[in-house]
Amino acid sequence: MVGHTGTGITVSAGNADGRKQLWHGRFASGPAEELVAFTESLSYDQRLMHSDIACSRAHVAGLGEAGLLDDAEVAAVLAALDQTGREYDAGQLAFEESDEDIHTAIERRVTELAGPAGAKIHTGRSRNDQVATAFRHFVKGELAGVARRIVELLEVLAERADEAGTGASAAYLPGYTHLQRAQPVLLAHHLMAHGWALLRDLERLGDCRRRVDVSPLGAGALAGSSLPLRPDSVAGSAGFSSRFENSLDATSDRDFVAESLFVLTMVGIHLSRMGEEIVLWSSSEFGFVRLDDGYSTGSSMLPQKKNPDIAELARGKAGRLLGDLTGFLATLKSLPLAYNRDLQEDKEPLFDAFDTVGLGLGAMAGLYRTLEFDRARMAEAADDPHAAATDLAELLVMSGMPFREAHAVVGELVRRSIDEGTDFAGLVGADPRLGEAAVALLEPGASARNRLSPGSAGPAAVSQQRARFEEALGSARSIWGIS
Ligand code: ARG
C-alpha cells in the first residue's frame, strides 16, 4: 500500500476484503501496485476534504430538488457526509487501498455509512467536475487567507512609515538607482513603495477570486448529463457566485490555478525584493537596520554573527514559487479537451505556493514590525552633498536657466570638487549663479525635504500619499471582508 501521510490516519493493509475501484464493473482484475503508487493523490489531496464535503452537500441537496433522491435519502447522505468529515478530523477515518483520492474515499465511506442511499451520491456527477469544484472551493478560502496576511503586512509597513514621519524630524535615507546613491528620500516614502506593490497584489487576488468563484458542478465527465440536474442552485448552495457555461471548459479549465499561482508568485517576488533590501541594509556596509533577536539567527561557528535568514529565505523561496508557476503552465500546455489525468498535477504546486507565501508574509510582517532603523546612519549616507545636485540644477531652472545648461553647471561643480578635492558647499556658495539658497539645500536633510511634486518623496506629498494609501487599503479590506 502506498504511504498516505495524513496525520493520525490509518490505512488498511490491502484490498483483500474485496473493496472495489469506482470503475470495477468494466475491469476483470484490480489495478497493479505500481499504478496505484504512481497515480494516487490521496496522500496530498486530503486537504480538499472539507471543501469536497461542502460541495457534495450542495450536490446531494440538488439531487433532492431534482427528485433523484427522496428526502430520507438526502438526509441519510448528508448525515453520512458530516460524519465522514468528523471522523477525518478525529483521525479516525481509515483509508482503503481503493481510495485513490479524497473524493473516492469520501464516496466509499458515505456508502458504507448510508447504505443504498450513499451509493446514489455520484448520480449526475463525475470526479472530473467534482474535483474541479472542490478545488475551486478550497482555493477561494486560501486566497482569502493570503489576503488577510497581506493586509497584516501592509498594516505593519504603514505603521513603520508613520513612525518614520514626514515632519521636521522625519527619517530619510539615500534613494538609489543602479544601487548608486541618487536622491534622498523620506523613509516613509521608501516603506510605502513596498506597500503599494503589495496592495496591487491584494487587488490581483480579488480579480483572481472572481474567476475562481464559478462552480463546475453539473458538467459531469465532460458533457453534462441526461438527468434533470440543477447546476445553478447547486452552485449557490456550495457558496459560488455562478455556475459554468460550458461543460468541456468547466472540467478542463485550470486557468484559475495558473492565475492563483501567478498572483502568489508575484507576492513572493515582492517579498523577495524586500528581503534583498533587508539583507543589504543589515550588512555592516549599509548599517541602516538592526534585526530583532527573535527575527534573526546566529552562526554555529562565528560568535559575532547575526544573520537575516528570514529575508534571505523570502528571496530564496521566490525561486520555488517560480518553479510552481512555470512547471504547472508546462503541464497545461498542449492538453486536448477536456479532462486529462495530467490535471491532477494542479494541486501540489498550488498547495506549496499557498504554504510558502502564507508563511513568508507572516515572517516578513514580524521582521518589519521589529526592525530597528538607524536613522543617523541613513541620514549620514543621504547627506552626501553631491546627492543634492539635482536640487541645485532645479534651483537654476526656477531662475529661468534651461535644464540642460543647469545640469552642466552643477555637473562641473561636482567634477571640480572631486578633482580638486575641494568642499562642494564652498564651490556652490562662491558661484554667483547659485549662492545662499543653494548652500541651504546642502544642509542636512534639506534635500530630502525638497521634493515638492505630487507623488514625490518629500513631506507634503508623502503625507498625501499616506492618506490615499489608507483609503485604498480600506477598500481592499472591505472587498475581502477584513475588519
Ligand atoms: N484525483 C483526480 C484529480 O485530481 C480526480 C479525477 C480523476 N478522474 C478520472 N477520470 N480519472 O484530477
Side-chain angles (χ1 to χ4, degrees):
M1 180 64 203
V2 286
H4 295 320
T5 53
T7 42
I9 287 151
T10 53
V11 179
S12 74
N15 216 358
D17 59 350
R19 298 257 174 238
K20 299 267 177 29
Q21 310 300 133
L22 294 175
W23 57 85
H24 65 93
R26 166 72 178 76
F27 285 68
S29 67
E33 204 178 306
E34 298 90 326
L35 177 137
V36 173
F38 187 56
T39 63
E40 68 83 27
S41 55
L42 180 62
S43 52
Y44 53 86
D45 69 15
Q46 291 170 36
R47 286 176 75 157
L48 303 181
M49 167 60 95
H50 290 290
S51 286
D52 185 288
I53 288 184
C55 300
S56 291
R57 288 183 61 92
H59 171 66
V60 169
L63 294 177
E65 280 172 37
L68 293 162
L69 264 67
D70 65 30
D71 289 352
E73 288 172 326
V74 169
V77 177
L78 292 180
L81 279 167
D82 291 344
Q83 183 172 333
T84 303
R86 282 195 303 273
E87 287 177 356
Y88 181 79
D89 289 343
Q92 286 165 355
L93 183 65
F95 289 128
E96 306 283 349
E97 176 128 16
S98 57
D99 298 340
E100 67 171 59
D101 57 23
I102 193 62
H103 318 288
T104 321
I106 292 170
E107 179 178 342
R108 194 253 315 144
R109 185 62 184 143
V110 164
T111 309
E112 283 168 6
L113 291 168
K120 292 189 176 182
I121 191 174
H122 215 52
T123 308
R125 185 173 78 171
S126 157
R127 259 182 316 149
N128 298 351
D129 58 346
Q130 180 181 5
V131 72
T133 309
F135 199 22
R136 282 174 181 268
H137 186 277
F138 174 85
V139 170
K140 273 202 308 170
E142 293 289 303
L143 291 178
V146 173
R148 258 194 313 279
R149 281 175 177 265
I150 293 180
V151 168
E152 277 161 25
L153 177 54
L154 288 176
E155 281 166 353
V156 170
L157 288 171
E159 246 172 65
R160 299 309 311 257
D162 288 345
E163 224 176 276
T166 53
S169 62
Y172 59 94
L173 72 160
Y176 295 82
T177 61
H178 313 270
L179 202 57
Q180 309 289 323
R181 286 177 192 167
Q183 285 183 295
V185 296
L186 293 189
L187 176 58
H189 191 61
H190 190 107
L191 292 172
M192 299 287 294
H194 293 308
W196 288 106
L198 289 165
L199 194 62
R200 286 193 297 278
D201 291 333
L202 197 55
E203 288 168 7
R204 266 188 279 273
L205 274 181
D207 290 346
C208 174
R209 183 180 61 171
R210 269 193 312 116
R211 283 178 286 276
V212 176
D213 194 14
V214 178
S215 167
L217 210 53
L222 76 166
S225 171
S226 65
L227 299 169
L229 302 177
R230 309 281 177 92
D232 285 296
S233 90
V234 170
S237 45
F240 289 96
S241 296
S242 61
R243 68 151 164 90
F244 66 98
E245 295 291 348
N246 178 307
S247 61
L248 290 170
D249 181 43
T251 47
S252 64
D253 164 31
R254 293 295 184 278
D255 300 4
F256 77 92
V257 179
E259 190 175 354
S260 301
L261 281 168
F262 170 72
V263 179
L264 292 169
T265 302
M266 200 67 246
V267 174
I269 283 174
H270 285 141
L271 295 182
S272 170
R273 296 183 69 178
M274 293 165 73
E276 166 65 3
E277 182 174 282
I278 297 297
V279 171
L280 287 173
W281 285 10
S282 62
S283 67
S284 310
E285 284 68 17
F286 273 79
F288 288 178
V289 295
R290 273 179 294 278
L291 304 176
D292 184 79
D293 283 359
Y295 291 91
S296 52
T297 57
S299 157
S300 59
M301 182 174 156
L302 314 172
Q304 84 283 11
K305 290 295 290 295
K306 202 169 182 187
N307 293 329
D309 291 33
I310 291 177
E312 291 170 275
L313 280 172
R315 191 176 61 186
K317 283 175 188 283
R320 94 194 249 157
L321 290 165
L322 272 162
D324 289 333
L325 170 64
T326 54
F328 184 61
L329 287 172
T331 297
L332 283 185
K333 147 186 191 304
S334 313
L335 286 185
L337 289 175
Y339 180 84
N340 297 272
R341 189 63 179 267
D342 314 47
L343 292 176
Q344 181 171 289
E345 288 294 303
D346 57 357
K347 286 165 210 75
E348 285 168 294
L350 191 50
F351 291 157
D352 181 63
F354 278 130
D355 293 344
T356 302
V357 168
L359 291 171
L361 283 166
M364 288 295 270
L367 183 75
Y368 273 83
R369 193 179 325 107
T370 54
L371 269 185
E372 195 190 319
F373 293 105
D374 189 331
R375 290 173 168 229
R377 188 72 190 248
M378 289 179 166
E380 190 192 322
D383 286 331
D384 169 356
H386 292 157
T390 312
D391 297 274
L392 302 183
E394 287 176 354
L395 192 66
L396 292 173
V397 166
M398 288 304 284
S399 62
M401 189 182 286
F403 178 74
R404 200 40 66 208
E405 196 182 318
H407 186 285
V409 166
V410 179
E412 198 186 315
L413 292 177
V414 170
R415 185 170 48 76
R416 275 180 54 203
S417 85
I418 293 170
D419 289 354
E420 298 165 12
T422 36
D423 172 43
F424 186 58
L427 287 177
V428 169
D431 191 304
R433 293 162 298 189
L434 286 158
E436 285 296 285
V439 174
L441 283 169
L442 304 181
E443 289 296 311
S447 172
R449 284 189 291 273
N450 196 40
R451 228 59 62 221
L452 305 173
S453 58
S456 73
V462 172
S463 299
Q464 188 196 41
Q465 172 196 166
R466 179 68 187 86
R468 289 190 181 208
F469 184 81
E470 204 54 36
E471 241 172 71
L473 182 56
S475 3
R477 265 208 194 87
S478 71
I479 288 172
W480 287 100
I482 300 168
S483 53

